[in-house]
Amino acid sequence: MGSTLNPTPEEKIAAARMRLGELTEKFIERTRGEIEAMRGSLGRLGAPDGVALGEILHLAHRISGTGATLGFESVSERARRVEQLATAQTPGCSCDTATIEMLRTGIEALAAEVATAATKR
């Protein structure tokens, strides 16, 4: 058995698995909150300030990257689709109804994917 200063390979693996589990838990919880923030931003997309769209873009990008890093490929792909929709819009312009609905659909698909991922951990 290894000591605190000199852990065995098995202890290192166990510690890494525990830390990955903690990071996974934090990612799921943080992402749920970020999805709620994205939903809130949807309601402000009709105004031509660009802030709401920027928030959605930022959060989708963050979810996509962190999801891929932690092995949540499906979550990452859903977030990437939302990011692509947001990126395709003109910054500072108000979004039309069809665009808002496409973003809403993408965000809800992302939320469903996060819920599925949460049950698999």
Side-chain angles (χ1 to χ4, degrees):
M1 183 175 212
S3 69
T4 305
L5 297 176
N6 192 19
T8 66
E10 293 81 13
E11 290 170 330
K12 288 179 183 179
I13 291 170
R17 284 188 178 141
M18 186 168 24
R19 180 66 180 138
L20 184 58
E22 292 168 0
L23 291 173
T24 296
E25 188 73 32
K26 286 179 181 181
F27 170 73
I28 294 292
E29 290 308 310
R30 186 190 81 202
T31 300
R32 286 178 173 154
E34 290 173 339
I35 288 170
E36 285 306 311
M38 292 167 100
R39 287 173 173 150
S41 294
L42 277 172
R44 300 188 326 269
L45 283 179
D49 68 0
V51 174
L53 185 62
E55 290 170 352
I56 292 171
L57 176 61
H58 169 74
L59 293 171
H61 179 78
R62 182 169 148 163
I63 293 167
S64 177
T66 306
T69 299
L70 292 174
F72 291 101
E73 291 302 321
S74 296
V75 170
S76 180
E77 180 56 33
R78 293 286 183 183
R80 191 171 11 264
R81 290 179 190 165
V82 172
E83 181 182 7
Q84 289 169 341
L85 282 169
T87 301
Q89 306 311 306
T90 304
C93 294
S94 60
C95 294
D96 60 29
T97 305
T99 300
I100 293 170
E101 192 52 39
M102 285 191 299
L103 284 165
R104 182 182 322 282
T105 299
I107 291 167
E108 293 311 318
L110 173 59
E113 198 61 51
V114 170
T116 299
T119 63
K120 292 181 181 179
R121 50 186 163 115

